[in-house]
Amino acid sequence: MADLVADGKLDVEAVRSHFPALKQNQVFLDNAGGTQILSDAINSIRTYLEETNVQLGASYNIGQKATQKYNEGLKAAADFINADVSEIVIGPSTTQLFANLSQSFALCFPPSAEIIVSSIDHEANISSWVRLAKIRNLTLKWWTPSSSPSDLKLTAANLRPLLSDKTKLVTCTHTSNILGSIHDIRAMADEVHKVEGAMLCVDGVAFAPHREVNVEALGVDFYSFSWYKVYGPHIAALYASSSAQTHVSSLGHYFHTPATTLSTKLGLAASSYELVSTIPTLLSYFGSSASARKETWAAIAAHEETLQTILLDYLNSREDVTVYSERSADKALRVPVISFSVRGKSSSEIVEAVDGMSDFGIRWGHFYKEEIKGLVKILDKVLG
């Protein structure tokens, strides 16, 4: 168990001690692109490959140990988001898991069905649904917030006019991986579920590194995030509630019948065993119990609020700077993923200048959110 909280505050030195990459001079501020990996996770991968690198399910001693490690990884993944193990599948990326999910839906939606897709999502939660709508000749509706630079936020109110009795699926992001605004997923879930048979699919990749995820409290049908954004290796997790799984067809081998878990339905043997074995170390990093983890998450949120206040106060004080979407540093409204532009400067100029004068690593570009460029013309300055 990592002891990350001292006197109610995040112990920064304790945090740093868990990340070998932080011994370098580089300052990693491109958190929308991923996090550094825990030393315990690195050691777990090495230990698995050295000691238990065998096929799962064997009855001999090492085979049983390998299977146990894998099952412990699945259980930790479920515990991380307050889900049941049967509701979790691990895969190579959120993009791949959503693609698998959309394929499993291919024969489930009637021709008259409507899919609502957010225009400010990461491409992972867009392309699969656009492709499904095209293949099945479904109606695709775009959920677009206000075009004001300060109000690029999805809400239940701006979703409501798009819903109809033909709506079968609504997709959105919990937190924009460019803008950092936190969306009220519970309110959206309640709105979606007013339509009989409609489901909500949420991309939580940019939220999971910053706040505790509780899928039951959120009321979502599907939720996915990537472990490499939460101090782990490059794998991802997808949640599907037990009720939502009645709409999920199995993509697995025919002899896995009946397919009673999400892993059996959508896993396709794509969850690297040695990487799944790291997940218990990630859970332990936040604390050894649910209450300890809650305390750690609260300390992380408070620390992030302090840091983003410093930057946002400076940016908001400048007349030549535009901060996009949430301008407040309130931890309930945003996470520290901040996009801005400077009048008379391209974002690439600013980033390359910072590269040349410091060890601070920041980024410009669309971060796989190309559709957002159509919302605000001036945002092109941020995206490239």
Side-chain angles (χ1 to χ4, degrees):
M1 168 191 162
D3 188 6
L4 305 181
V5 181
D7 298 324
K9 295 183 179 180
L10 193 68
D11 185 335
V12 175
E13 289 306 313
V15 169
R16 291 182 63 88
S17 70
H18 290 274
F19 297 92
L22 298 186
K23 295 176 182 178
Q24 304 172 89
N25 292 329
Q26 186 74 62
V27 180
F28 299 97
L29 295 180
D30 58 338
N31 68 68
T35 57
Q36 297 305 309
I37 188 169
L38 288 166
S39 57
D40 285 350
I42 296 170
N43 294 335
S44 173
I45 296 170
R46 181 184 180 92
T47 299
Y48 187 97
L49 292 175
E50 288 181 341
E51 299 178 3
T52 54
N53 189 33
V54 298
Q55 183 59 274
L56 303 184
S59 59
Y60 59 86
N61 182 43
I62 297 300
Q64 290 185 42
K65 287 183 178 180
T67 303
Q68 181 181 350
K69 283 179 175 289
Y70 183 81
N71 289 337
E72 288 172 351
L74 285 183
K75 179 64 166 60
D79 289 347
F80 189 78
I81 59 172
N82 191 32
D84 186 82
V85 173
S86 66
E87 299 172 315
I88 288 287
V89 60
I90 306 296
S93 66
T94 292
T95 301
Q96 183 64 65
L97 288 171
F98 279 150
N100 291 357
L101 180 62
S102 70
Q103 188 177 346
S104 78
F105 280 164
L107 300 178
C108 297
F109 292 167
S112 61
E114 297 177 351
I115 298 177
I116 299 173
V117 176
S118 155
S119 59
I120 66 168
D121 265 46
H122 186 287
E123 186 66 13
N125 206 18
I126 293 178
S127 60
S128 292
W129 311 119
V130 172
R131 185 165 55 248
L132 175 62
K134 183 177 182 179
I135 292 172
R136 294 285 292 155
N137 196 28
L138 308 177
T139 299
L140 182 69
K141 293 182 176 179
W142 288 97
W143 178 9
T144 302
S146 164
S147 60
S148 167
S150 62
D151 193 26
L152 295 170
K153 199 166 186 177
L154 302 173
T155 66
N158 56 36
L159 168 64
R160 196 172 297 123
L162 298 173
L163 294 168
S164 78
D165 59 2
K166 296 180 179 179
T167 303
K168 293 300 179 186
L169 183 71
V170 177
T171 75
C172 69
T173 180
H174 200 160
T175 296
S176 166
N177 71 315
I178 281 183
L179 305 172
S181 305
I182 298 174
H183 297 131
D184 188 345
I185 296 301
R186 181 73 223 199
M188 295 173 186
D190 290 343
E191 196 67 36
V192 169
H193 292 152
K194 290 177 182 178
V195 179
E196 184 177 358
M199 298 178 290
L200 179 64
C201 178
V202 179
D203 177 350
V205 171
F207 183 85
H210 303 283
R211 302 289 186 273
E212 185 176 24
V213 177
N214 184 331
V215 290
E216 184 176 338
L218 292 172
V220 295
D221 300 288
F222 306 100
Y223 194 99
S224 188
F225 67 96
S226 298
W227 290 105
Y228 78 95
K229 300 293 181 79
V230 196
Y231 320 129
H234 206 294
I235 50 175
L238 171 67
Y239 159 84
S241 69
S242 297
S243 58
Q245 284 188 54
T246 61
H247 302 279
V248 177
S249 301
S250 178
L251 304 181
H253 297 311
Y254 74 92
F255 48 80
H256 290 312
T257 305
T260 58
T261 69
L262 193 65
S263 289
T264 305
K265 289 182 175 182
L266 301 184
L268 301 177
S271 51
S272 169
Y273 304 156
E274 67 272 18
L275 302 188
V276 174
S277 75
T278 69
I279 299 175
T281 70
L282 309 180
L283 190 67
S284 294
Y285 171 74
F286 293 99
S288 60
S289 66
S291 60
R293 291 192 289 272
K294 194 172 292 293
E295 183 182 16
T296 299
W297 282 116
I300 289 172
H303 186 71
E304 289 184 344
E305 185 177 61
T306 298
L307 294 178
Q308 66 192 18
T309 296
I310 296 169
L311 177 58
L312 285 167
D313 281 354
Y314 171 72
L315 295 175
N316 287 326
S317 72
R318 293 187 55 135
E319 293 184 359
D320 60 342
V321 170
T322 300
V323 175
Y324 293 94
S325 198
E326 186 57 61
R327 296 170 63 88
S328 168
D330 187 338
K331 63 181 180 292
L333 300 178
R334 67 143 54 249
V335 300
V337 177
I338 299 168
S339 286
F340 65 93
S341 63
V342 180
R343 189 187 310 131
K345 298 282 186 180
S346 71
S347 289
S348 57
E349 285 182 83
I350 294 170
V351 171
E352 288 163 10
V354 171
D355 290 342
M357 67 175 65
S358 75
D359 292 317
F360 286 75
I362 60 176
R363 296 286 295 273
W364 62 274
H366 60 71
F367 268 96
Y368 299 92
K369 199 185 287 282
E370 181 71 17
E371 281 75 10
I372 201 173
K373 292 180 74 171
L375 291 179
V376 188
K377 288 184 178 179
I378 195 172
L379 196 53
D380 285 345
K381 294 179 182 178
V382 177
L383 305 180

